[in-house]
Amino acid sequence: MSLALLGGAVAATPAAVAAEQPVIGKPAFDRDGCARIEKSLPALADWPKVESRFKGKGGDEQRIARILEGMTLEEKVGQMTQPEIAAITPDEVRQYSIGSVLNGGGSWPNKDKHASQQDWLKLADAYWEAAQGSRTKIPVIWGIDAVHGNNNVYGATVFPHNIGLGAAQDPCLVRDISAATARQIRATGQDWAFAPTLAVVKDDRWGRTYEGFSEDPRITRAYGYEAINGLQDGSTKRIGYNGVIGTAKHFIGDGGTLKGQDQGVNPSSEAEMINLHGQGYYGALAAGSQTVMVSFNSWTNAELGIDEGKLHGSDKALNQILKGKIGFDGLVVSDWNGIGQVPGCTNASCPQAINAGIDIVMVPNDWKAFIANTVDQVKGGQIPLSRIDDAVTRILRVKLRSGLYESQKPSDRSYANSDEALRETWLARDAVRSSQTLLKNNGNVLPLKPKSKVLVVGKSADSIQNQTGGWTLSWQGTGNTNADFPNATSILAGLKQQLGDVNVTFDEKGDTDPKGYDAVIAVIGETPYAEGVGDLTRKTLEASKLYPEDLALLDKVRGKGAPVVTVYVGGRPLYMNKEINRSDAFVAAWLPGTEGGGVADVLLKGGFKGKLPYSWPKSACQTPLNAGSADYDPLFALGYGLKTGQRVTVGQLDETAGPVTCGSTGGGGTATEDLEVFNRTDVAPYKGFIGSAENWGGTEIGPDGTASHAEIGVVQSDVNVQQDGLKATWTGTGPAQLYFQNPAGTNDLRGYLNADAAVEFDTVVHEAPANRTVISMHCVYPCFSEVNATKLFTDLAGAPKSTVKIPVSCFANGLDLENVNTPFLVYTDGKFSASFANVRWVPKGAQDPDARRCSSLS
């Protein structure tokens, strides 16, 4: 296997350096006619030229030039603007010549989670008719995050997430699922899928790990080709009768950030970007992907002289590499408010991002301001008109190639309003069967005998929410119940279908005595999450600390006379030695989607095919863990997976408990890792609360980011990115506080004082405080210390966003840093409103030039 495949250092030979630019075209195909997963990938010395199979029709470019010539500047910028459906009406699409709209995860017509196919089609028709009524009559395209089926739509079949497809190692299956997804999208009237994700994931702490097919770029390369091939109906000149526009995302390196931090920094060398993170794009672009979405991450490595920063503003990544060397001639779209993360930009204004090569700007809510700003920036010379013309040329090219100019309105197209297209359950069930990965089967417990009498336990046995995961009906996949999936089958329901109700006893908590049963089937694992919220960052990989209820459950049922078969439902490998030891058989089911019957199929009939798409750790902090690295020592290696009947015994595994957090975060030494307190969601062991006379004991802020007292209310808000903050509003009717606390006890944080740390948070002050306002820390009240933040917040009122850094030393007097239970608290008794995000303690933060002086906080 090549170093490019295995993730080691990639070095080009002198001969390779001197060679001409490599060229990549169609892949080698297997005997089924699908892209082959190669045994190895050659190391490339430079970015390759990718020959796309999609050429368009003769005369397209002349037609585009004629359309462009007749457009005003405002109409051109309108084509580059992509609002969210909740923020724009069909009439505004006509009025502003809007080129595309999107719906984010958890956004539906009329804000109705249970919107019907007819509701979706009615809105799609309205947008289409509005575009037809505009002066230019340029079709509008609607993009949707259909990442494992048309997962925003009530009643749609949801396929396994990409991690499960990676376990199947079947490019034909990916092609078929992508084609089925395209039909599902056409059933509800959209034109454009924001898929596939082509991240080669290198650190499983990333909350989007399950969106990547594998840590193995060979798999991602072949899958990228077939995913686009399926979505775009094998198109070469026009997207076919059954297809939609596909998206290769997120360009580039989103799976290689430090500590797996979402939207973080990828420090890869250019050779690593070329040979690892680029591989999926070579496959997708060769298949004819018409759009590429830019990644939120940065590309920075000072030691290597790389300082591209946020890729949304990188001319090198987008213009020079993607459009230049690789030769991509489609359109480049930003991610959600991604331009706002470029230094010097806001969500509504970013000449640098447009000049860097972004053609369509995803600006969900601030789109009117974006249009006005961009028009002014062109007139003022900050953005050349030639760049605008290039962007619109690319947009029109994709619209022509997609067949939209000749297409009927969405409700009259193929598969529109088709129940059959929306519910391809047979394909989903086959995909589930193919993805099941058998890690342990001592004594060949599996498959179970026909008509076995089984006791089914565990929180995920009858939870469609858990088995579908993030990006399902809602953005994070939370807030769903089985009632939200009327056509789905849970794993429990699948077992009952196979064995009959009389032979299946369900006891979620595991209190039933297993004696007398042929087997216990325990279905455990992760609960839903998506980008950002799902990041583990400094958290342990130890499942028993993340989900202690699962280990407690297994302790109840093991050794009681019935073999225990554990089914793990989750989006990444975790350190699960304790859980595996308590299981006679252990199956990684990943996130199987709505067809839980596929899990039951292999438990009862065998046919295990899955192979690990990611290496499985043997200790709590063993990450990054990738095949080919110098210290590679997994519990189960990349590609491991037992077959039915294979006689392999997994012995007793080491159960050494890992730390609560990975890296040095306190104690009497010197902290080296950030102590995250709140990052889009609570970071264990801390939880968010509000307190007032209504309940000074604290009302926990819910998973939806809300809590309310008469004196204070909290809702989710956008500070840096979508829903990353908590907006707290003090009503002035009495004293109240917002705080983050460890309900289980205290933590030794002396190491942060030793590290000259600062307490840092990002904030938007919506209304200045009317009365004295303090930031404090508690070491179990009445042990606490506080600083006066009234002037601080007053000075920040009206600013778009600020990062506040307060030295920990400002709190040293009166605070027992060895016993801190509340590392951040804001208190006032007057009117005040502010959003808070990314609350953390940062070693050496007090040394930053913009850190506050303690004397200014008295």
Side-chain angles (χ1 to χ4, degrees):
M1 292 184 179
S2 72
L3 290 174
L5 157 65
L6 295 174
V10 178
T13 64
V17 171
E20 295 182 0
Q21 181 187 14
V23 177
I24 292 175
K26 289 192 301 184
F29 296 107
D30 61 23
R31 61 186 179 184
D32 294 318
C34 297
R36 186 172 67 207
I37 299 174
E38 299 289 357
K39 292 183 178 179
S40 64
L41 297 171
L44 304 173
D46 195 5
W47 295 96
K49 168 73 174 178
V50 178
E51 293 184 340
S52 171
R53 67 184 299 203
F54 204 155
K55 306 298 183 185
K57 286 187 176 180
D60 280 357
E61 298 308 306
Q62 293 86 345
R63 187 175 177 186
I64 291 167
R66 289 195 300 270
I67 298 170
L68 188 68
E69 187 177 7
M71 297 175 68
T72 66
L73 174 59
E74 288 76 10
E75 287 168 341
K76 292 174 182 177
V77 175
Q79 286 297 302
M80 298 172 64
T81 305
Q82 186 177 72
E84 215 278 339
I85 62 170
I88 188 167
T89 66
D91 193 58
E92 287 171 326
V93 166
R94 178 196 57 77
Q95 180 183 352
Y96 290 89
S97 191
I98 296 297
S100 63
V101 297
L102 83 149
N103 65 288
S107 176
W108 321 278
N110 307 315
K111 299 183 179 180
D112 179 7
K113 183 177 184 178
H114 294 167
S116 67
Q117 290 182 66
Q118 293 81 7
D119 294 328
W120 288 88
L121 286 164
K122 183 179 179 181
L123 185 57
D125 280 352
Y127 285 134
W128 183 86
E129 289 165 352
Q132 290 298 305
S134 68
R135 194 188 72 84
T136 63
K137 293 182 169 48
I138 298 172
V140 65
I141 52 178
W142 181 346
I144 188 168
D145 285 294
V147 298
H148 61 141
N150 203 359
N151 44 260
N152 270 287
V153 176
Y154 176 72
T157 293
V158 173
F159 299 97
H161 267 296
N162 285 352
I163 190 170
L165 302 185
Q169 295 202 11
D170 185 348
C172 285
L173 179 65
V174 171
R175 178 199 62 195
D176 293 346
I177 286 174
S178 297
T181 299
R183 295 189 291 271
Q184 288 186 335
I185 293 169
R186 294 180 73 95
T188 52
Q190 290 71 54
D191 317 276
W192 184 4
F194 296 141
T197 296
L198 300 170
V200 178
V201 181
K202 308 311 289 181
D203 193 321
D204 300 348
R205 288 176 288 185
W206 190 33
R208 304 188 82 154
T209 294
Y210 63 80
E211 292 189 57
F213 293 117
S214 178
E215 72 186 55
D216 185 344
R218 301 175 310 139
I219 294 174
T220 306
R221 171 89 162 260
Y223 275 20
Y225 185 91
E226 292 302 349
I228 292 296
N229 189 27
L231 282 169
Q232 297 190 169
D233 196 30
S235 51
T236 56
K237 295 184 182 298
R238 290 282 188 269
I239 289 176
Y241 183 73
N242 303 323
V244 296
I245 302 165
T247 308
K249 70 178 192 183
H250 310 84
F251 194 83
I252 185 172
D254 50 344
T257 59
L258 294 169
K259 301 177 186 176
Q261 181 180 357
D262 191 51
Q263 307 183 17
V265 176
N266 186 320
S268 293
S269 67
E270 190 154 356
E272 289 168 331
M273 282 293 198
I274 292 168
N275 286 288
L276 277 174
H277 300 291
Q279 295 291 352
Y281 297 92
Y282 309 151
L285 297 181
S289 181
Q290 289 299 284
T291 73
V292 171
M293 185 180 290
V294 188
S295 182
F296 279 122
N297 67 273
S298 300
W299 182 17
T300 303
N301 187 323
E303 292 182 2
L304 298 178
I306 299 171
D307 189 23
E308 290 307 300
K310 286 290 181 179
L311 287 168
H312 274 74
S314 173
D315 176 83
K316 176 175 180 176
L318 304 181
N319 280 331
Q320 297 178 40
I321 294 173
L322 178 61
K323 294 180 175 180
K325 288 191 172 183
I326 293 176
F328 175 63
D329 71 352
L331 70 83
V332 175
V333 61
S334 78
D335 209 333
W336 183 284
N337 282 333
I339 63 170
Q341 297 189 24
V342 177
C345 294
T346 68
N347 292 343
S349 175
C350 194
Q352 181 181 338
I354 294 172
N355 289 335
I358 292 177
D359 303 310
I360 287 182
V361 179
M362 194 182 289
V363 52
N365 299 302
D366 301 327
W367 58 272
K368 288 182 181 177
F370 170 78
I371 291 174
N373 290 333
T374 305
V375 168
D376 288 345
Q377 288 155 3
V378 175
K379 291 178 177 178
Q382 293 171 270
I383 302 172
L385 180 60
S386 60
R387 171 75 270 269
I388 300 295
D389 286 347
D390 172 61
V392 179
T393 294
R394 290 169 174 273
I395 294 166
L396 293 173
R397 184 178 292 141
V398 171
K399 290 184 175 184
L400 277 175
R401 291 177 176 178
S402 67
L404 285 176
Y405 269 90
E406 295 76 39
S407 185
Q408 300 167 296
K409 65 181 180 181
S411 62
D412 288 337
R413 297 175 192 167
S414 62
Y415 294 102
N417 204 27
S418 167
D419 284 341
E420 183 180 357
L422 211 57
R423 297 170 190 163
E424 299 204 35
T425 55
W426 63 271
L427 177 60
R429 189 161 181 163
D430 182 58
V432 174
R433 285 192 292 261
S434 298
S435 68
Q436 300 304 293
T437 308
L438 183 59
L439 302 182
K440 179 179 180 180
N441 194 20
N442 287 7
N444 277 11
V445 171
L446 294 176
L448 298 174
K449 294 178 181 179
K451 298 304 178 184
S452 292
K453 183 180 179 182
V454 299
L455 171 63
V456 181
V457 300
K459 65 177 186 283
S460 296
D462 195 32
S463 172
I464 308 295
Q465 173 178 269
N466 287 358
Q467 72 185 43
T468 53
W471 293 107
T472 310
L473 288 182
S474 66
W475 174 35
Q476 295 289 326
T478 54
N480 298 321
T481 68
N482 285 4
D484 292 313
F485 302 95
N487 305 305
T489 303
S490 69
I491 295 171
L492 173 67
L495 290 166
K496 287 183 175 181
Q497 288 173 0
Q498 298 267 2
L499 295 173
D501 288 0
V502 69
N503 287 321
V504 178
T505 300
F506 177 52
D507 178 3
E508 181 177 330
K509 301 298 184 182
D511 294 324
T512 300
D513 188 349
K515 186 177 181 181
Y517 289 91
D518 295 309
V520 176
I521 300 176
V523 191
I524 64 171
E526 295 190 304
T527 52
Y529 55 81
E531 55 186 310
V533 174
D535 287 0
L536 292 178
T537 55
R538 66 182 185 84
K539 293 179 187 175
T540 178
L541 292 173
E542 189 169 354
S544 61
K545 285 190 169 66
L546 297 169
Y547 301 98
E549 69 277 10
D550 289 342
L551 184 63
L553 175 80
L554 291 175
D555 278 333
K556 283 184 181 180
V557 297
R558 68 160 178 164
K560 302 289 180 65
V564 175
V565 175
T566 297
V567 177
Y568 166 64
V569 173
R572 59 188 145 211
L574 292 173
Y575 172 51
M576 303 185 74
N577 283 15
K578 293 177 182 177
E579 292 81 359
I580 294 171
N581 279 342
R582 287 154 178 75
S583 310
D584 296 276
F586 191 93
V587 178
W590 311 115
L591 295 170
T594 50
E595 296 309 304
V599 179
D601 288 344
V602 292
L603 294 179
L604 296 165
K605 299 177 182 178
F608 284 95
K609 301 177 183 177
K611 298 178 181 179
L612 285 179
Y614 294 91
S615 304
W616 196 282
K618 64 163 48 174
S619 61
C621 295
Q622 193 182 17
T623 185
L625 177 65
N626 297 292
S629 60
D631 57 349
Y632 187 62
D633 184 27
L635 179 63
F636 300 115
L638 176 72
Y640 176 88
L642 300 175
K643 305 297 183 187
T644 301
Q646 188 175 355
R647 295 189 177 277
V648 174
T649 298
V650 175
Q652 185 74 8
L653 303 175
D654 177 33
E655 292 193 6
T656 300
V660 174
T661 59
C662 297
S664 177
T665 58
T670 302
T672 59
E673 300 280 335
D674 289 2
L675 174 73
E676 289 194 314
V677 177
F678 176 84
N679 188 352
R680 299 201 196 185
T681 187
D682 300 335
V683 180
Y686 303 108
K687 293 185 176 181
F689 299 86
I690 58 171
S692 70
E694 185 173 321
N695 179 15
W696 282 116
T699 298
E700 186 174 345
I701 299 170
D704 60 351
T706 63
S708 180
H709 288 181
E711 301 88 347
I712 184 174
V714 173
V715 296
Q716 284 183 325
S717 63
D718 298 353
V719 176
N720 299 296
V721 295
Q722 183 183 10
Q723 296 180 6
D724 68 326
L726 296 176
K727 180 181 180 181
T729 300
W730 284 260
T731 63
T733 57
Q737 58 195 27
L738 164 72
Y739 61 101
F740 299 95
Q741 187 175 86
N742 177 2
T746 64
N747 300 101
D748 185 352
L749 302 182
R750 290 173 295 166
Y752 286 92
L753 183 64
N754 298 338
D756 206 9
V759 179
E760 302 185 9
F761 59 94
D762 301 328
T763 187
V764 177
V765 178
H766 309 290
E767 181 181 358
N771 292 345
R772 183 175 185 270
T773 302
V774 300
I775 296 173
S776 68
M777 302 173 183
H778 288 218
C779 34
V780 186
Y781 188 84
C783 170
F784 73 99
S785 180
E786 66 183 27
V787 298
N788 188 337
T790 313
K791 184 176 185 304
L792 182 157
F793 287 123
T794 300
D795 291 345
L796 296 178
K801 184 202 80 172
S802 304
T803 297
V804 176
K805 303 176 181 179
I806 302 175
V808 169
S809 59
C810 298
F811 300 89
N813 291 332
L815 186 70
D816 178 5
L817 278 159
E818 193 172 356
N819 292 288
V820 176
N821 74 330
T822 307
F824 185 80
L825 183 150
V826 181
Y827 170 95
T828 189
D829 60 3
K831 282 191 172 184
F832 174 43
S833 181
S835 290
F836 300 90
N838 200 13
V839 181
R840 69 270 188 201
W841 289 31
V842 181
K844 299 183 180 179
Q847 300 171 13
D848 291 349
D850 58 344
R852 306 280 165 162
R853 294 182 177 274
C854 297
S855 58
S856 70
L857 299 166
S858 58

